[in-house]
Amino acid sequence: MLSLRPLPALRDNYIWMLADTPAGTAIVVDPGEAGPVLDALAADRLTLSAILLTHHHSDHIGGTPELAGRFPSAPIYAPHDARIRDATQRVGDGDVVEIDTPPARFEVLEVHGHTRSHIAYYGEGLLFCGDTLFSLGCGRLFEGTPAEMLASLDRIAALPGTTRICCAHEYTLANAAFALTVEPDNPALKARTDAARALRARNAATLPAVLDEERAANPFLRVDALAEDRIPWQDDVGALHRRVDRFAALRLAKDRFRA
Ligand code: ZN
Ligand code: FE
């Protein structure tokens, strides 16, 4: 029986830990720092058996050298990107990551947009998507185009609706503030926002999100569902005839949004 939990790290990051407690093993995804991982491992007397990395940003990989020093036999999976120096296994689209213990199998999806080499890991009903999809939002376009990010989100949206989305930041309420300006009357969005508020009020994570709920509530997964006049006009995008333009305008509006 695997157990999943988000370890709060840095300012608003989550390091996801998937553990087989009886077997005494765990894997982590995107350890931006080592401390929370070492504490969680020690508390349950677990050994780290693998590290999965989604992209090169330091808030996702910063704890890797220290963890590798403590657990030198744990493989470190990462995309083909020289900016991630500590990788022991490079993986790309369609590759499969097989872990003996905890017993888990993940397919690698290239989901470019936030960065040019960002990947996600899909398996066990879970998606570890780093900074690609957030609950009620999506990652910023630091190195990719709107078309790339939209293609990445389309791939994620096509996964089974029960998939639990393990995002790397607690951004849900900040994202809700923007999403509600786009679709103030969307009942799924209102319900998700209320649920997230209740969770944050007791300092609990709003994640993992459920893909079905995101498809109903997250404006960045709803470029086809949104009426054109619901997309905040951006001069530098112009006409909103193509869905990629609607997505680009939505992403720019979010960049410029101040709650
Ligand atoms: Zn990032
Ligand atoms: Fe990040």
Side-chain angles (χ1 to χ4, degrees), residues 1 4 16 24 29 38 40-41 65 73 76 110-111 120 132 158 183 189 198 203 216 221 231 247 251 259:
M1 184 59 190
L4 173 75
W16 288 93
V29 184
L38 294 172
L41 293 171
S73 59
I76 301 168
E110 303 234 359
V111 284
T132 300
E183 285 195 293
L189 173 56
N203 211 26
L221 298 184
I231 310 237
F247 176 76
R251 185 57 257 183

mmCIF file of all heavy atoms in Angstrom, residues 1 4 16 24 29 38 40-41 65 73 76 110-111 120 132 158 183 189 198 203 216 221 231 247 251 259:
data_model
loop_
_atom_site.group_PDB
_atom_site.id
_atom_site.type_symbol
_atom_site.label_atom_id
_atom_site.label_comp_id
_atom_site.label_asym_id
_atom_site.label_seq_id
_atom_site.Cartn_x
_atom_site.Cartn_y
_atom_site.Cartn_z
ATOM 1 N N MET A 1 0.856 -1.201 0.000
ATOM 2 C CA MET A 1 0.000 0.000 0.000
ATOM 3 C C MET A 1 0.886 1.243 0.000
ATOM 4 O O MET A 1 1.688 1.443 0.915
ATOM 5 C CB MET A 1 -0.897 -0.045 1.250
ATOM 6 C CG MET A 1 -1.916 1.086 1.332
ATOM 7 S SD MET A 1 -3.040 1.132 -0.076
ATOM 8 C CE MET A 1 -3.855 2.697 0.188
ATOM 9 N N LEU A 4 0.938 8.673 -0.225
ATOM 10 C CA LEU A 4 1.385 9.864 -0.941
ATOM 11 C C LEU A 4 1.222 11.064 -0.039
ATOM 12 O O LEU A 4 0.183 11.217 0.592
ATOM 13 C CB LEU A 4 0.509 10.056 -2.190
ATOM 14 C CG LEU A 4 0.717 11.347 -2.983
ATOM 15 C CD1 LEU A 4 2.010 11.270 -3.797
ATOM 16 C CD2 LEU A 4 -0.477 11.603 -3.910
ATOM 17 N N TRP A 16 6.820 16.062 -3.366
ATOM 18 C CA TRP A 16 5.916 14.911 -3.222
ATOM 19 C C TRP A 16 6.706 13.681 -2.812
ATOM 20 O O TRP A 16 7.743 13.378 -3.404
ATOM 21 C CB TRP A 16 5.162 14.665 -4.534
ATOM 22 C CG TRP A 16 4.135 15.746 -4.738
ATOM 23 C CD1 TRP A 16 4.290 16.907 -5.436
ATOM 24 C CD2 TRP A 16 2.814 15.777 -4.193
ATOM 25 N NE1 TRP A 16 3.140 17.660 -5.350
ATOM 26 C CE2 TRP A 16 2.222 16.990 -4.601
ATOM 27 C CE3 TRP A 16 2.065 14.897 -3.399
ATOM 28 C CZ2 TRP A 16 0.914 17.340 -4.240
ATOM 29 C CZ3 TRP A 16 0.769 15.242 -3.043
ATOM 30 C CH2 TRP A 16 0.202 16.461 -3.467
ATOM 31 N N GLY A 24 9.607 0.200 4.077
ATOM 32 C CA GLY A 24 10.619 1.149 4.548
ATOM 33 C C GLY A 24 11.298 1.938 3.447
ATOM 34 O O GLY A 24 12.449 2.355 3.582
ATOM 35 N N VAL A 29 9.747 13.591 -5.399
ATOM 36 C CA VAL A 29 9.722 14.328 -6.655
ATOM 37 C C VAL A 29 10.073 15.787 -6.363
ATOM 38 O O VAL A 29 9.483 16.405 -5.474
ATOM 39 C CB VAL A 29 8.327 14.246 -7.317
ATOM 40 C CG1 VAL A 29 8.341 14.941 -8.676
ATOM 41 C CG2 VAL A 29 7.872 12.800 -7.454
ATOM 42 N N LEU A 38 14.564 14.683 4.567
ATOM 43 C CA LEU A 38 15.297 13.936 5.595
ATOM 44 C C LEU A 38 14.444 13.786 6.854
ATOM 45 O O LEU A 38 14.419 12.716 7.463
ATOM 46 C CB LEU A 38 16.623 14.648 5.902
ATOM 47 C CG LEU A 38 17.618 14.645 4.725
ATOM 48 C CD1 LEU A 38 18.820 15.536 5.043
ATOM 49 C CD2 LEU A 38 18.070 13.224 4.384
ATOM 50 N N ALA A 40 11.104 13.745 7.031
ATOM 51 C CA ALA A 40 10.005 12.806 6.785
ATOM 52 C C ALA A 40 10.512 11.370 6.713
ATOM 53 O O ALA A 40 9.855 10.444 7.206
ATOM 54 C CB ALA A 40 9.285 13.180 5.483
ATOM 55 N N LEU A 41 11.671 11.183 6.124
ATOM 56 C CA LEU A 41 12.257 9.831 6.055
ATOM 57 C C LEU A 41 12.579 9.328 7.465
ATOM 58 O O LEU A 41 12.256 8.185 7.822
ATOM 59 C CB LEU A 41 13.536 9.836 5.209
ATOM 60 C CG LEU A 41 13.379 10.121 3.714
ATOM 61 C CD1 LEU A 41 14.754 10.323 3.068
ATOM 62 C CD2 LEU A 41 12.627 8.995 2.997
ATOM 63 N N PRO A 65 21.708 17.365 -4.337
ATOM 64 C CA PRO A 65 23.072 16.942 -3.985
ATOM 65 C C PRO A 65 23.175 16.365 -2.563
ATOM 66 O O PRO A 65 23.814 15.334 -2.359
ATOM 67 C CB PRO A 65 23.895 18.223 -4.129
ATOM 68 C CG PRO A 65 23.122 19.083 -5.074
ATOM 69 C CD PRO A 65 21.678 18.763 -4.811
ATOM 70 N N SER A 73 22.923 5.266 -3.586
ATOM 71 C CA SER A 73 22.463 4.281 -4.567
ATOM 72 C C SER A 73 21.107 4.634 -5.165
ATOM 73 O O SER A 73 20.608 3.922 -6.040
ATOM 74 C CB SER A 73 22.435 2.881 -3.947
ATOM 75 O OG SER A 73 21.578 2.883 -2.839
ATOM 76 N N ILE A 76 18.700 9.092 -9.839
ATOM 77 C CA ILE A 76 18.119 10.435 -9.982
ATOM 78 C C ILE A 76 17.678 10.593 -11.435
ATOM 79 O O ILE A 76 18.514 10.679 -12.340
ATOM 80 C CB ILE A 76 19.144 11.512 -9.599
ATOM 81 C CG1 ILE A 76 19.601 11.300 -8.150
ATOM 82 C CG2 ILE A 76 18.541 12.908 -9.785
ATOM 83 C CD1 ILE A 76 20.826 12.124 -7.762
ATOM 84 N N GLU A 110 6.821 14.612 -22.102
ATOM 85 C CA GLU A 110 7.472 15.920 -22.268
ATOM 86 C C GLU A 110 6.361 16.962 -22.277
ATOM 87 O O GLU A 110 5.422 16.883 -23.069
ATOM 88 C CB GLU A 110 8.264 15.966 -23.573
ATOM 89 C CG GLU A 110 9.295 14.861 -23.638
ATOM 90 C CD GLU A 110 10.713 15.332 -23.927
ATOM 91 O OE1 GLU A 110 10.938 16.540 -24.106
ATOM 92 O OE2 GLU A 110 11.591 14.449 -23.956
ATOM 93 N N VAL A 111 6.466 17.904 -21.384
ATOM 94 C CA VAL A 111 5.450 18.957 -21.267
ATOM 95 C C VAL A 111 6.165 20.311 -21.237
ATOM 96 O O VAL A 111 6.310 20.938 -20.211
ATOM 97 C CB VAL A 111 4.552 18.755 -20.018
ATOM 98 C CG1 VAL A 111 3.552 17.637 -20.252
ATOM 99 C CG2 VAL A 111 5.366 18.453 -18.755
ATOM 100 N N ALA A 120 6.947 15.466 -17.134
ATOM 101 C CA ALA A 120 6.038 15.048 -16.071
ATOM 102 C C ALA A 120 6.106 13.528 -15.981
ATOM 103 O O ALA A 120 6.537 12.860 -16.933
ATOM 104 C CB ALA A 120 4.614 15.509 -16.370
ATOM 105 N N THR A 132 3.894 22.761 -14.539
ATOM 106 C CA THR A 132 3.157 22.832 -15.805
ATOM 107 C C THR A 132 1.692 23.163 -15.544
ATOM 108 O O THR A 132 1.189 24.199 -15.986
ATOM 109 C CB THR A 132 3.298 21.524 -16.579
ATOM 110 O OG1 THR A 132 4.680 21.307 -16.846
ATOM 111 C CG2 THR A 132 2.537 21.568 -17.896
ATOM 112 N N ALA A 158 -6.027 15.099 -21.395
ATOM 113 C CA ALA A 158 -6.514 13.871 -22.026
ATOM 114 C C ALA A 158 -6.293 12.632 -21.150
ATOM 115 O O ALA A 158 -6.730 11.540 -21.502
ATOM 116 C CB ALA A 158 -5.828 13.682 -23.383
ATOM 117 N N GLU A 183 -14.441 33.520 -14.876
ATOM 118 C CA GLU A 183 -15.719 32.800 -14.832
ATOM 119 C C GLU A 183 -16.357 32.927 -13.452
ATOM 120 O O GLU A 183 -16.388 31.959 -12.691
ATOM 121 C CB GLU A 183 -15.495 31.310 -15.140
ATOM 122 C CG GLU A 183 -15.238 30.991 -16.585
ATOM 123 C CD GLU A 183 -15.402 29.500 -16.846
ATOM 124 O OE1 GLU A 183 -14.585 28.710 -16.326
ATOM 125 O OE2 GLU A 183 -16.354 29.127 -17.557
ATOM 126 N N LEU A 189 -15.909 26.018 -10.287
ATOM 127 C CA LEU A 189 -14.840 26.897 -9.801
ATOM 128 C C LEU A 189 -15.157 27.422 -8.406
ATOM 129 O O LEU A 189 -14.295 27.470 -7.527
ATOM 130 C CB LEU A 189 -14.644 28.057 -10.795
ATOM 131 C CG LEU A 189 -13.692 29.161 -10.369
ATOM 132 C CD1 LEU A 189 -12.299 28.629 -10.034
ATOM 133 C CD2 LEU A 189 -13.601 30.229 -11.471
ATOM 134 N N ALA A 198 -11.216 26.274 2.761
ATOM 135 C CA ALA A 198 -11.377 25.501 4.005
ATOM 136 C C ALA A 198 -10.096 24.738 4.325
ATOM 137 O O ALA A 198 -9.672 24.666 5.479
ATOM 138 C CB ALA A 198 -12.571 24.553 3.875
ATOM 139 N N ASN A 203 -4.464 25.027 7.336
ATOM 140 C CA ASN A 203 -3.074 24.849 6.906
ATOM 141 C C ASN A 203 -2.822 23.531 6.186
ATOM 142 O O ASN A 203 -1.709 23.013 6.182
ATOM 143 C CB ASN A 203 -2.134 25.002 8.111
ATOM 144 C CG ASN A 203 -0.789 25.564 7.685
ATOM 145 O OD1 ASN A 203 -0.706 26.265 6.668
ATOM 146 N ND2 ASN A 203 0.247 25.253 8.427
ATOM 147 N N ALA A 216 -13.204 21.127 -15.196
ATOM 148 C CA ALA A 216 -14.436 21.901 -15.022
ATOM 149 C C ALA A 216 -14.168 23.311 -14.501
ATOM 150 O O ALA A 216 -14.996 24.202 -14.675
ATOM 151 C CB ALA A 216 -15.368 21.159 -14.063
ATOM 152 N N LEU A 221 -7.535 25.121 -18.756
ATOM 153 C CA LEU A 221 -7.975 23.882 -19.414
ATOM 154 C C LEU A 221 -9.297 24.102 -20.132
ATOM 155 O O LEU A 221 -9.903 23.158 -20.618
ATOM 156 C CB LEU A 221 -8.123 22.748 -18.381
ATOM 157 C CG LEU A 221 -6.850 22.335 -17.637
ATOM 158 C CD1 LEU A 221 -7.147 21.140 -16.729
ATOM 159 C CD2 LEU A 221 -5.724 22.000 -18.603
ATOM 160 N N ILE A 231 -12.499 36.168 -22.143
ATOM 161 C CA ILE A 231 -11.040 36.227 -22.117
ATOM 162 C C ILE A 231 -10.616 37.687 -22.044
ATOM 163 O O ILE A 231 -10.983 38.478 -22.921
ATOM 164 C CB ILE A 231 -10.454 35.564 -23.377
ATOM 165 C CG1 ILE A 231 -11.097 34.192 -23.544
ATOM 166 C CG2 ILE A 231 -8.926 35.557 -23.329
ATOM 167 C CD1 ILE A 231 -10.231 33.032 -23.598
ATOM 168 N N PHE A 247 -5.556 31.155 -25.436
ATOM 169 C CA PHE A 247 -4.694 30.707 -24.337
ATOM 170 C C PHE A 247 -3.629 31.766 -24.018
ATOM 171 O O PHE A 247 -3.389 32.099 -22.851
ATOM 172 C CB PHE A 247 -4.031 29.364 -24.673
ATOM 173 C CG PHE A 247 -3.062 28.918 -23.616
ATOM 174 C CD1 PHE A 247 -3.504 28.390 -22.418
ATOM 175 C CD2 PHE A 247 -1.696 29.078 -23.790
ATOM 176 C CE1 PHE A 247 -2.615 28.017 -21.418
ATOM 177 C CE2 PHE A 247 -0.796 28.713 -22.796
ATOM 178 C CZ PHE A 247 -1.256 28.185 -21.610
ATOM 179 N N ARG A 251 -3.069 33.678 -20.464
ATOM 180 C CA ARG A 251 -1.814 33.573 -19.711
ATOM 181 C C ARG A 251 -1.235 34.974 -19.441
ATOM 182 O O ARG A 251 -0.781 35.263 -18.339
ATOM 183 C CB ARG A 251 -0.842 32.686 -20.485
ATOM 184 C CG ARG A 251 0.496 32.348 -19.841
ATOM 185 C CD ARG A 251 0.397 31.670 -18.493
ATOM 186 N NE ARG A 251 0.673 32.619 -17.439
ATOM 187 C CZ ARG A 251 0.719 32.314 -16.136
ATOM 188 N NH1 ARG A 251 0.502 31.085 -15.713
ATOM 189 N NH2 ARG A 251 0.957 33.236 -15.248
ATOM 190 N N ALA A 259 -4.291 40.837 -7.513
ATOM 191 C CA ALA A 259 -5.526 40.586 -6.761
ATOM 192 C C ALA A 259 -5.946 41.829 -5.965
ATOM 193 O O ALA A 259 -5.109 42.610 -5.579
ATOM 194 C CB ALA A 259 -5.324 39.412 -5.824
#
